[in-house]
Amino acid sequence: MSDFEPDSGKRQIDSWFAHPGPETDVVLSTRVRLARNLASFPFPGRFKSDDGERIQSIVFDSFVHASNPENYLFMPINHLDDLRERIFVERGVIEPLRDGNSTSGFVIRSDGRVSCTINGIDHVRLASFVPGLDGESAFRLCHDLDEELQNSMQFAASYDAGFLTSQIKDCGSGMKISCRVHLPALSFSGKLSGFSSYFDSNHVVIKDCFGAGNIPSSSLGFFYQISSAVSGNGNEIDQLASLVSVVKHISENERRENETILESHQTEIRDRLFRTYAKIKFASLIELREAVEIISDIKWGKNLGFFSNVSDEELCALLYRIQDASIQYVMESKKFNFPSDIAENEKLKVEHLRTLMLQEAFEDLKGELL
């Protein structure tokens, strides 16, 4: 299955999430975001006249004069059709709601690892995405671009408050770090809730990635996002080290809990994984929630030693590729022969193609259950 080409096939946005990274058994990806606002302009919620258009023009022009401008795609969001907008939302590049601002837009680098949203909550939000737990690389990508853009844009800041942002919690460094993690063992055992005071004391928040799970207080597929809560606690390096330390601590506890579960719940876990594999093998229609849980179980089984011949980066990439809009794009780009009884039903066609994608991805899966 080919990846989404957001500018009508002129060049393809590389799938950063399909590349290997450190500690991907637990940590799927790391993102760093920097919130910035141009001096002498009101925040987006208080725009007057042509403020939004002027800011968009200034930001686009700054990227034109940055290093290697040919590596960037420039896109006013109102130039996107609904499908392509939803794909960029699925990829985490833009927020799911436009709020009617016709001057919002974004810039994305051709390797997909760096992006910049314009006139959303703030004038500028730079973001970098890297696989695995690699806060240093993610920060460096964002920081270097931030430094370069400041050669042609003046960002609002004060000596006492740091960078000025539309939300108080983002003032200071303007930085937010987040990691997407997979915590099936801690969720299954119910021990994840015991870390709430630890998260609070470290100014960290944890939330679900794909909605609520089927186990009480869990996330769907046991995928969570661990993020820094505020941007004012120390400098960027301190904040980065703090968040990475928390994620490493949780990762170590997840690995230990896997060992405990193998001893105390092996029959139950084996049954769960066997049922998951059977669903992949024989299903014809798989909805999105089911697909997320399937990928989670295969990843969990791999970490427990039940499955092999599938990589963490392949599983991470699947989480993006089985999303609704991404599949609809594939359906638009290629011709498929669907069963006649679902050929006119878009929802069922998406579910059928998602099933085929999963079956293809796990065709060579090996393990003691198989």
Side-chain angles (χ1 to χ4, degrees):
M1 303 292 176
S2 63
D3 292 316
F4 172 51
E5 299 174 1
D7 51 350
S8 304
K10 294 178 182 177
R11 61 173 180 261
Q12 181 173 313
I13 295 295
D14 186 43
S15 301
W16 63 266
F17 45 76
H19 292 266
E23 303 196 38
T24 49
D25 61 319
V26 177
V27 187
L28 280 70
S29 60
T30 304
R31 184 193 74 166
V32 168
R33 188 219 68 200
L34 299 177
R36 301 286 187 260
N37 288 278
L38 275 66
S40 304
F41 283 95
F43 292 132
R46 297 181 176 274
F47 279 167
K48 297 179 181 178
S49 184
D50 62 346
D51 286 340
E53 288 85 354
R54 291 169 62 196
I55 289 171
Q56 186 183 97
S57 177
I58 291 170
V59 177
F60 281 170
D61 186 66
S62 293
F63 275 92
V64 168
H65 290 92
S67 301
N68 303 312
E70 68 279 1
N71 290 337
Y72 292 99
L73 165 71
F74 302 79
M75 184 63 67
I77 287 184
N78 58 11
H79 288 191
L80 288 176
D81 61 28
D82 178 68
L83 177 59
R84 285 154 181 80
E85 180 184 348
R86 287 165 51 213
I87 290 175
F88 280 111
V89 169
E90 291 175 353
R91 298 285 173 99
V93 176
I94 58 178
E95 295 296 323
L97 297 177
R98 286 191 189 185
D99 70 15
N101 185 356
S102 63
T103 66
S104 59
F106 66 94
V107 181
I108 187 168
R109 206 169 72 181
S110 57
D111 62 3
R113 290 176 181 254
V114 177
S115 67
C116 171
T117 57
I118 305 166
N119 292 337
I121 297 174
D122 293 288
H123 297 157
V124 171
R125 284 198 168 189
L126 306 175
S128 59
F129 307 85
V130 298
L133 180 58
D134 193 356
E136 183 177 348
S137 294
F139 172 70
R140 183 54 55 192
L141 283 170
C142 247
H143 177 267
D144 289 352
L145 180 58
D146 180 43
E147 291 281 299
E148 189 169 19
L149 293 178
Q150 288 191 57
N151 291 328
S152 54
M153 286 190 290
Q154 182 181 356
F155 292 137
S158 75
Y159 181 81
D160 293 325
F163 288 102
L164 304 181
T165 61
S166 63
Q167 297 182 328
I168 296 296
K169 62 184 177 67
D170 289 330
C171 288
S173 67
M175 183 172 75
K176 183 175 183 179
I177 315 113
S178 62
C179 291
R180 180 172 287 190
V181 297
H182 184 228
L183 304 174
L186 289 172
S187 300
F188 182 83
S189 66
K191 294 182 180 180
L192 184 60
S193 58
F195 287 90
S196 57
S197 60
Y198 172 73
F199 290 137
D200 291 342
S201 64
N202 284 278
H203 306 287
V204 162
V205 295
I206 183 170
K207 64 179 183 179
D208 58 72
C209 289
F210 302 107
N214 297 322
I215 295 177
S217 302
S218 73
S219 174
L220 180 65
F222 309 128
F223 293 106
Y224 301 87
Q225 180 172 291
I226 298 177
S227 309
S228 50
V230 295
S231 299
N233 292 327
N235 60 35
E236 290 94 334
I237 302 303
D238 293 337
Q239 293 172 37
L240 188 67
S242 177
L243 191 280
V244 169
S245 176
V246 168
V247 174
K248 284 188 173 182
H249 179 69
I250 294 300
S251 299
E252 290 165 1
N253 278 272
E254 171 67 18
R255 295 180 186 114
R256 282 197 294 268
E257 192 61 27
N258 271 331
E259 296 175 2
T260 301
I261 280 179
L262 274 178
E263 295 177 0
S264 58
H265 295 280
Q266 184 168 147
T267 300
E268 188 177 355
I269 298 303
R270 286 167 63 93
D271 178 74
R272 177 188 179 114
L273 299 178
F274 186 86
R275 289 173 181 272
T276 293
Y277 180 77
K279 184 183 293 184
I280 301 167
K281 195 75 174 177
F282 300 108
S284 296
L285 302 169
I286 296 178
E287 62 180 13
L288 180 57
R289 283 183 61 88
E290 283 184 299
V292 171
E293 290 182 326
I294 286 170
I295 294 168
S296 171
D297 280 351
I298 297 300
K299 182 172 174 60
W300 194 15
K302 173 187 176 296
N303 290 342
L304 292 172
F306 288 123
F307 296 134
S308 62
N309 214 34
V310 63
S311 67
D312 288 311
E313 53 266 28
E314 288 174 312
L315 294 167
C316 180
L318 270 177
L319 284 171
Y320 289 89
R321 291 169 178 155
I322 53 88
Q323 298 295 318
D324 287 339
S326 296
I327 291 179
Q328 288 174 335
Y329 178 82
V330 173
M331 287 170 52
E332 279 191 2
S333 305
K334 297 183 178 181
K335 291 184 179 180
F336 297 92
N337 293 319
F338 292 99
S340 59
D341 60 325
I342 67 169
E344 302 302 322
N345 188 316
E346 290 300 311
K347 177 178 179 294
L348 294 183
K349 287 196 298 183
V350 167
E351 292 181 4
H352 184 67
L353 186 52
R354 180 182 292 120
T355 305
L356 296 178
M357 292 172 69
L358 290 170
Q359 289 170 344
E360 180 184 7
F362 300 134
E363 183 178 12
D364 298 321
L365 195 68
K366 296 180 180 179
E368 70 169 70
L369 294 179
L370 310 182

